[in-house]
């Protein structure tokens, strides 16, 4: 496909111009906008691949040859191909982006016989980016008008002067219905381009009006510094809209991938091996201005897997180079909930995760205003490991002055210790948990070990009647259960109908049982379209903290198959899942039949015998199905 596009575009952009773009482009600089690169020896560079999830760097760049290749996923090419894959650009859009970067004026031809001429229209991405750049200039100019007084006051009240507003491109959407729309139309942008960019929207009458009105605006930039959207803050009490209004999803703005401030913070993140995740635009500004240049924030959505992928590549978050991820949250209930949710994502990072909470429950912007720049730097410096915060939050919910309270707190906290990815730290946290609870270390050790094996945490309960043994986390049965859950989370369209048809009783591992119940509570895999939204729905429906973490883990863990899964693989997996319970029921039936007198209990005997025959037939079908695909 790439070669075909090259051939096609070579007929429209002069061959010598394309060659000049390749010659003058530093592939290392282009890729460094997205991936942190380290020396790999021999003049080559390496980093984490942006096209697949990995913990050890397999993405290699050869500056001397101006090419890149990933030994993990097999992708590779030149700088043009990298932009096409990384930013979903067409060939011509990638060439235009690199030409602009290198200061090259491209020439276009209709065909081999025509004379070179300027291309009349850029690719879609360039047009949308250009529209946003023009909108930034418009909104920034509006910030100095009389109607923007409240916007200037808002910034000043939060400690931001004119220089700060200019540094972050702050602007104001005026009290008019279509002022920006008319301005951009006069500059040559079309009706469809403005709607696609999210800058304008159709009114009830059908005419085009501005999306933002009477609001303070922050331009949102991607890693390369291009403006791809806006965040708009309500200023007036009679504005009945939401407090914050963001650009809708567009071809260039995907909120699950965007981090505000990443364009200014990326180099310091890579240099320091540290990132500070805050909650709002003003918090990013406050941190940067206070001397914490690694701060970023999400844009109208929760911190998620795609954001983690962006940061891991900048941090070069690998087994050999582990960075720091520091979350700042308010100390209120919502902030604590967000912090615990961040702990669920801890397993996605190789590096260490921390939390920084102001003792006065102030966000970084409020803290800077009240106590100055040093207080913001101290907030980040006083960070504590996220697992410590999570354990304390769980323990504080119980009365530790009572036996019941201590035991229940141990049961709830043990799974958190069992989840700590650095196994060498677990014994220390067992001792710490025992000390915090005021308990002997032995019962806490047993509870953590049980949680690590997927068993209910121990305690002082009276002896219970015998129960079926819980399979260990790495038992063959548990591995099949895990694979079935991965199929439901990663490939619901493919696996959903077969997955939902298998009863939840087929799952034995307690955490797997919790995830299976959450999938059902989210509506079932067969109803899902897949993607991040589906994963979040399942995670939100899971009441078990260990189950919530497992959902995120299974969503990115590779399936145990080479290549893409197909219906046959799903069928095999579901058959293997059912095989154990069916053979178990056959064994129980045979034992029961042997204990029945076929003369005095003839009806029961033949009923059970008929059930046995049916189950054995089902078992033969499952055996054939399970053996048919792997």
């Amino acid at each position: 496909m790439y070669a075909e596009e090259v051939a096609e575009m070579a007929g429209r952009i002069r061959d010598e111009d394309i060659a000049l773009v390749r010659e003058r482009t530093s592939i290392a600089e282009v890729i460094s906008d997205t991936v942190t690169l380290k020396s790999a020896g021999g003049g080559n560079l390496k980093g984490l691949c942006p096209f697949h999830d990995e913990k050890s760097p397999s993405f290699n760049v050869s500056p001397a040859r101006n090419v890149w290749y990933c030994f993990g996923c097999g992708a590779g090419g030149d700088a043009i191909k990298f932009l096409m894959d990384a930013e979903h650009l067409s060939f011509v859009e990638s060439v235009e982006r690199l030409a602009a970067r290198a200061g090259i004026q491209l020439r276009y031809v209709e065909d081999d016989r025509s004379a070179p001429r300027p291309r009349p229209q850029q690719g879609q991405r360039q047009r949308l980016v250009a529209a946003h750049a023009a909108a930034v200039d418009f909104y920034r100019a509006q910030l100095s008008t009389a109607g923007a007084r409240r916007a200037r006051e808002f910034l000043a009240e939060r400690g931001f002067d004119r220089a700060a507003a200019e540094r972050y491109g702050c602007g104001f959407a005026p009290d008019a219905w279509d002022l920006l729309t008319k301005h951009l139309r006069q500059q040559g942008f079309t009706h469809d381009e403005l709607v696609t960019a999210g800058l304008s929207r159709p009114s009830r009458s059908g005419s085009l009006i501005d999306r933002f009105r009477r609001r303070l605006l922050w331009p949102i930039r991607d890693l390369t510094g291009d403006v791809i959207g806006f965040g708009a803050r309500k200023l007036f009490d009679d504005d009945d809209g939401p407090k914050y209004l963001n650009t809708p999803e567009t071809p260039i703005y995907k909120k699950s991938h965007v981090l505000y401030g990443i364009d200014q913070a990326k180099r310091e993140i890579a240099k320091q091996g540290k990132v500070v995740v805050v909650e709002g635009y003003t918090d990013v500004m406050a941190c940067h201005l206070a001397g914490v240049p690694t701060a970023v924030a999400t844009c109208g959505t929760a911190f998620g897997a795609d954001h983690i992928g962006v940061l891991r590549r900048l941090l070069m978050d690998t087994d050999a180079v582990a960075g720091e991820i520091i979350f700042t949250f308010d100390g209120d209930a919502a902030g604590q909930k967000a912090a615990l949710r961040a702990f669920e994502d801890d397993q996605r990072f190789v590096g260490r995760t921390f939390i920084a909470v102001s003792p006065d429950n102030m966000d970084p912007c409020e803290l800077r205003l009240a106590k100055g720049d040093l207080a913001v730097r101290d907030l980040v410096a006083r960070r504590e490991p996220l697992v410590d915060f999570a354990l304390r939050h769980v323990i504080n919910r119980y009365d530790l002055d009572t036996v019941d309270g201590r035991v229940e707190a141990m049961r709830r906290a043990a799974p958190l210790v069992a989840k700590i990815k650095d196994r060498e730290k677990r014994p220390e946290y067992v001792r710490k948990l025992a000390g915090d609870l005021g308990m002997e270390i032995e019962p806490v050790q047993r509870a953590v070990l049980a949680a690590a094996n997927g068993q209910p945490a121990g305690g002082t309960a009276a002896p219970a009647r015998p129960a079926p043994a819980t399979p260990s986390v790495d038992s063959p049965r548990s591995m099949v259960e895990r694979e079935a859950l991965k199929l439901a989370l990663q490939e619901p369209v493919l696996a959903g109908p077969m997955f939902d048809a298998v009863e939840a009783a087929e799952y034995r591992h307690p955490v797997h049982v919790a995830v299976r119940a959450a999938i059902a509570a989210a509506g079932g895999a067969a109803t899902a379209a897949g993607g991040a939204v589906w994963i979040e729905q399942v995670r939100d429906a899971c009441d078990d903290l260990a189950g919530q973490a497992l959902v995120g883990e299974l969503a990115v863990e590779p399936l145990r198959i080479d290549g893409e899964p197909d219906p046959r693989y799903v069928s095999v997996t579901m058959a293997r899942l059912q095989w154990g319970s069916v053979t178990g029921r056959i064994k129980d039936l045979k034992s029961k039949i042997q204990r029945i007198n076929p003369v005095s209990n003839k009806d029961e005997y033949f009923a059970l015998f008929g059930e046995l025959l049916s189950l054995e037939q089902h078992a033969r079908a499952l055996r054939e199905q399970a053996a048919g695909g792997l």
Side-chain angles (χ1 to χ4, degrees), residues 18 41 54 59 97 100 137 215 242-243 265 375 401:
I18 296 174
E54 61 179 1
F59 183 87
R97 171 80 71 84
D137 293 339
R215 286 181 173 247
K243 183 177 179 180
D401 292 330

Side-chain angles (χ1 to χ4, degrees), residues 113-130:
R113 296 165 297 177
S114 60
R117 65 173 182 79
R119 187 166 181 254
Q121 183 174 332
Q122 298 168 294
Q124 184 192 53
R125 177 185 171 86
Q126 276 61 40
R127 292 292 294 172
L128 300 184
V129 168

Side-chain angles (χ1 to χ4, degrees), residues 17-178:
D17 288 357
I18 296 174
L20 187 61
V21 167
R22 287 194 172 104
E23 178 185 335
R24 293 189 181 177
T25 294
S26 167
I27 194 168
E29 290 181 4
V30 172
I31 294 177
S32 292
D33 286 338
T34 305
V35 180
T36 295
L37 298 173
K38 304 288 186 181
S39 174
N44 289 346
L45 304 169
K46 66 180 179 180
L48 291 177
C49 180
F51 307 119
H52 79 285
D53 191 40
E54 61 179 1
K55 291 188 176 181
S56 297
S58 58
F59 183 87
N60 283 254
V61 179
S62 173
R65 297 176 179 84
N66 254 358
V67 295
W68 57 274
Y69 181 78
C70 177
F71 290 96
C73 66
D78 58 10
I80 299 172
K81 185 64 163 62
F82 180 82
L83 286 186
M84 290 173 65
D85 291 348
E87 301 193 27
H88 308 290
L89 304 181
S90 68
F91 177 85
V92 69
E93 288 172 331
S94 298
V95 174
E96 288 172 343
R97 171 80 71 84
L98 295 174
R101 183 176 185 137
I104 298 171
Q105 178 66 49
L106 294 176
R107 294 165 295 172
Y108 301 82
V109 295
E110 281 296 323
D111 53 47
D112 293 339
R113 296 165 297 177
S114 60
R117 65 173 182 79
R119 187 166 181 254
Q121 183 174 332
Q122 298 168 294
Q124 184 192 53
R125 177 185 171 86
Q126 276 61 40
R127 292 292 294 172
L128 300 184
V129 168
H132 277 86
V136 170
D137 293 339
F138 174 85
Y139 287 137
R140 290 176 69 173
Q142 291 293 320
L143 187 60
S144 61
T145 64
R149 178 180 176 181
R150 179 69 196 103
R152 296 192 297 272
E153 291 174 347
F154 179 94
L155 291 170
E157 289 165 0
R158 284 154 181 78
F160 304 122
D161 57 17
R162 175 176 291 185
E166 291 178 353
R167 173 178 171 179
Y168 292 92
C170 295
F172 178 70
D175 185 8
W177 289 107
D178 60 356

